[in-house]
Each structure stands twice: as C-alpha cells, then as structure tokens.
C-alpha cells in the first residue's frame, strides 16, 4: 500500500530505525530489545509489546515486568488457534496483523483467545517474525492494544513495520552470528569492518582479536598498556568474572561499570563494553566486544580549577577567556580592567599553570582531574 507519514511519524521512524540498527550499542542484548520495543510503540500507537530471540542464554521472550508471567504461560502452553497456525516456530508472513494469520471468528472460540489474549489483555497483535539460519526459533517483536475496543492494527501498521523489518533482520543476523562464535577468520573480518575501534574478549578477559583501527589508534600512544588494561577490565566487568584490584593506572576493578574513561599520554579515551552472549559458559567463547574512541572534553568547574592550580576567582575568569582564544586586550575589555592589570593576571596565571603560552591554557584545563 502507499504510505504517507506525518513529520512526527517520520521523526519516530528515524529514531526507531536508529535504535534497531544498533544492537551493539547496548551492554546487554535484552536492553537493546527493550529499547527497540519502546521506540516502535509510539510509532504504531501500541499500548505494549514483547520481543522474542533464541540465542545464547537470552530469555526467549522479553517483555514489561507486568507481563512476564503471561508470556511464561504462553511459552509453556504453546497456545494455538483452531487452525494451528500460531504456534511458536511456525512460518508465516514476516510482518502481519491478527486478521492476516487467524480465522478471527474461530480465534474467539479458541484456547489462545480465551486463556491468553483476554485474561492478559493482548488484543489485536501486529508482529515482525523472522526465521534466521542457526536459530531454533524465529526472532519476533509484537505489539498490542490492552482493550478489545481499540481499533485493530491494519495494513498501515503492517506497512510501517515493514520499514523496520529489514533493519531488525540485519541486527538479529549480526547477533546470531556473534552468539557463541569462536574467533575465526570470518568473525575477525566482521569486527575489522566495524566503524569504531574494537576488540573481542573471552568471558575471562582474554583478548581474542583487535580491529585494525584499534591497532592504528594505539600505535602512537605511549600509554597504550593503560588503555588495554581498561579494555580488559571492561570485558571482565560485563560478565562479573572473578575479581581484580584497581591498578596504578586507575582502571576500575571487575564489577565496576563497564563504560568509563582512561587517560593516555596523547588523549583521554572512552572505553565501552557490550555483551555478545547473555550467559557465556566457556572461557574460549567470544563473550564481549569492547569499543575505544577519543573521549569528549570535560567541562571543569571553577572550584576544580582553583583547587588544582591555587587560583583566585579573577584568575579563573582570565583562564577561561584565554582558553577560548581571547587576547590580553580582549581580556581587559571583557573584565573591565586595564590592559596592564590583565597582563599582570596573565603572567601570574601562566606561572601557576606551568605553561609558557596562552595557547597552552586550554590544554591545562582539559588535563584537570586526569592525573
């Protein structure tokens, strides 16, 4: 069908596609599944949703906490309508609403309707269901209304979900390929193709493979060992494997957040890990992927600057003006002081910072708290 979207719907669709395309941006695959559901719900006007994914130690069905018991009943009972075309694992259209896969009058007489849909308020479903090679069950994401009086999802909802479907498939295929995989040549090539510098680790924190972009990033970093230590700590923190103490470099111990910053000689680095399997059981298996990039500059408070360099309040004002490239005359004009007084403040400031030029002031501000 021809599909026209409003500006609001286009914005919601863009957000939904962005979230769906980024499974590795989340520490846990279940977090990604939740984010996808929440991103698509307002686009469809759905009241609630559920996702299904059969990889690793993942919960087969991920849903809001209030619906956990309902989906446990569904999974254990294997409800089917009278035609038997809605059992878990049966093939059908990849995107469909209820009327496309059910004999609706017959459905209302079925166990599925009377023992699941009505008691748990799962009315008018519309779903993406994708079969992936290597996965025992289809990957799916379904959306519902909580009242039967609501307008059923129709062909328009199917058309909208069909825009999300190829992105959802690509992300699920990626997660399926990564799940329980050893670090073979094809797997290494996949990591090398990622846009960010990254490395694969086992559940025990052993390095399996680092991307070429990561090798290049750290090749000129004198304190590369510090960054690599942070990456290992991030990998271990994700799976809670054992315990290691904090190192001299300030690398967090296992159990600490798996995303943090570390200071190198050239720059500060942001280190962020993501689980590739929910419950890795074998240390040889690829369990985590860790990304490294340049950390954004941090804004330092006046109190931090005064404490670090023993500055007066006026000297902090001068420091901030110099950091954005103001000249001595511009400093004087901004602060309402004479040029000679401004020069006096600048000379005292440079001496306290231990730098010789005004251009070095911004670097001194950025360095606060990194040593």
């Amino acid at each position: 069908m021809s599909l026209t979207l409003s500006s609001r719907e286009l914005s919601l669709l863009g957000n939904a596609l962005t979230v769906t395309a980024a499974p590795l941006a989340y520490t846990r695959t279940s977090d990604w599944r939740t984010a996808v559901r929440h991103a698509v719900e307002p686009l469809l006007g759905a009241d609630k949703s559920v996702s299904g994914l059969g990889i690793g130690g993942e919960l087969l069905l991920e849903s809001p906490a209030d619906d956990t018991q309902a989906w446990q009943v569904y999974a254990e009972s294997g409800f089917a309508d009278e035609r038997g075309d809605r059992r878990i694992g049966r093939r059908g259209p990849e995107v469909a609403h209820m009327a496309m896969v059910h004999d609706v009058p017959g459905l209302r007489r079925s166990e599925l309707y009377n023992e699941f849909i009505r008691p748990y308020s799962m009315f008018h479903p519309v779903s993406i269901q994708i079969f992936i090679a290597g996965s025992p069950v289809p990957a799916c994401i379904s959306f519902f209304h909580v009242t039967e009086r609501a307008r059923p999802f129709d062909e328009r909802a199917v058309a909208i979900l069909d825009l999300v479907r190829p992105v959802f498939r690509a992300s699920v295929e990626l997660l399926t390929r990564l799940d329980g995989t050893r670090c073979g040549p094809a797997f290494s090539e996949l990591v090398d193709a990622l846009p960010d510098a990254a490395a694969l680790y086992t559940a025990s924190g052993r390095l399996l493979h680092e991307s070429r972009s990561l090798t290049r990033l750290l090749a000129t970093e004198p304190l590369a060992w510090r960054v690599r230590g942070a990456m290992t700590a991030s990998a271990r923190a994700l799976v809670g494997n054992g315990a290691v103490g904090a190192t001299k470099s300030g690398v967090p111990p296992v159990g600490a957040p798996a995303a943090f910053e570390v200071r190198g000689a050239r720059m500060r680095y942001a280190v962020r890990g993501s689980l590739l399997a929910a419950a890795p059981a074998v240390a040889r298996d690829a369990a985590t992927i860790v990304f490294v990039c340049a950390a954004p500059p941090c804004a330092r408070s006046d109190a931090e600057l005064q404490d670090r360099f023993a500055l007066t309040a006026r000297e902090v004002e001068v420091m901030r003006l110099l950091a954005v490239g103001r000249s001595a005359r511009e400093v004087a004009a901004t602060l309402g002081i004479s040029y000679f007084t401004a020069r006096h403040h600048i000379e005292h400031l440079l001496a306290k910072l231990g730098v010789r030029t005004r251009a070095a002031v911004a670097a001194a501000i950025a360095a606060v708290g990194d040593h």
Side-chain angles (χ1 to χ4, degrees):
M1 66 170 291
S2 177
L3 181 64
T4 302
L5 299 177
S6 67
S7 58
R8 176 180 180 274
E9 288 173 325
L10 286 172
S11 177
L12 291 171
L13 176 62
N15 178 63
L17 294 176
T18 298
V19 172
T20 305
L24 298 184
Y26 296 81
T27 298
R28 293 173 175 79
T29 302
S30 59
D31 295 338
W32 169 72
R33 293 162 64 183
T34 300
V36 173
R37 290 193 298 102
H38 289 171
V40 178
E41 280 176 1
L43 182 60
L44 298 177
D47 296 315
K48 59 183 178 180
S49 54
V50 64
S51 72
L53 188 61
I55 63 172
E58 283 279 329
L59 288 173
L60 174 63
L61 296 170
E62 171 274 329
S63 68
D66 291 346
D67 291 331
T68 300
Q69 181 181 358
W71 288 109
Q72 184 176 354
V73 170
Y74 182 90
E76 292 175 353
S77 301
F79 283 124
D81 67 12
E82 293 184 356
R83 297 187 319 175
D85 59 359
R86 290 297 291 173
R87 298 189 72 90
I88 294 176
R90 188 177 179 88
R91 292 181 181 272
E94 286 198 343
V95 181
H97 56 65
M98 184 174 68
M100 294 172 64
V101 293
H102 288 294
D103 171 9
V104 177
L107 172 67
R108 291 196 174 95
R109 297 188 297 271
S110 69
E111 290 182 355
L112 173 64
Y113 183 82
N114 290 287
E115 296 185 21
F116 178 73
I117 292 178
R118 286 187 64 186
Y120 298 113
S121 300
M122 304 288 183
F123 295 103
H124 309 304
V126 62
S127 306
I128 300 174
Q129 179 177 259
I130 296 174
F131 283 80
I132 303 293
S135 178
V137 296
C140 66
I141 184 166
S142 300
F143 301 87
F144 307 88
H145 291 308
V146 296
T147 173
E148 192 170 16
R149 293 190 299 274
R151 182 178 178 180
F153 294 111
D154 54 14
E155 297 301 322
R156 177 179 170 81
V158 170
I160 290 174
L161 273 190
D162 203 44
L163 298 176
V164 179
R165 176 186 54 82
V167 182
F168 182 66
R169 169 181 281 279
S171 293
V172 170
E173 287 177 343
L174 172 63
L175 291 171
T176 302
R177 290 175 63 188
L178 294 178
D179 179 49
T181 309
R182 306 295 174 86
C183 193
F187 199 46
S188 301
E189 291 175 6
L190 178 64
V191 174
D192 286 335
L194 294 173
D196 295 328
L200 290 169
Y201 287 86
T202 65
S204 61
R206 180 173 63 85
L207 176 66
L208 289 173
H209 176 75
E210 67 177 42
S211 66
R212 289 187 286 270
S213 57
L214 176 62
T215 302
R216 289 193 296 269
L217 179 67
L218 299 182
T220 58
E221 174 54 69
L223 297 178
W225 60 270
R226 181 179 288 184
V227 182
R228 295 186 190 281
M231 296 174 68
T232 301
S234 177
R236 288 176 173 172
L238 283 166
V239 294
N241 233 31
V244 295
T247 66
K248 292 181 179 180
S249 64
V251 173
V254 169
F260 49 87
E261 294 181 6
V262 61
R263 176 73 182 178
R266 294 177 55 246
M267 66 178 76
R268 288 172 19 261
Y269 298 86
V271 177
R272 173 177 56 82
S274 178
L275 285 175
L276 298 182
V282 182
R284 292 174 299 173
D285 289 341
T288 63
I289 186 167
V290 179
F291 299 94
V292 179
C293 62
C298 295
R300 306 301 180 185
S301 69
D302 289 355
E304 286 180 287
L305 297 176
Q306 285 183 272
D307 181 65
R308 173 65 177 84
F309 299 109
L311 303 179
T312 65
R314 175 65 84 186
E315 287 170 338
V316 170
E317 292 178 319
V318 173
M319 184 180 194
R320 293 201 181 280
L321 291 171
L322 293 181
V324 295
R326 300 291 178 86
S327 67
R329 292 192 182 280
E330 289 172 324
V331 169
T334 301
L335 298 180
I337 58 179
S338 72
Y339 169 75
F340 295 103
T341 301
R343 284 289 305 271
H344 176 77
H345 284 313
I346 292 172
E347 290 172 2
H348 274 258
L349 175 64
L350 295 181
K352 288 183 178 182
L353 297 182
V355 298
R356 295 183 178 181
T357 65
R358 294 194 298 272
V361 172
I365 292 178
V368 175
D370 291 329
H371 299 293

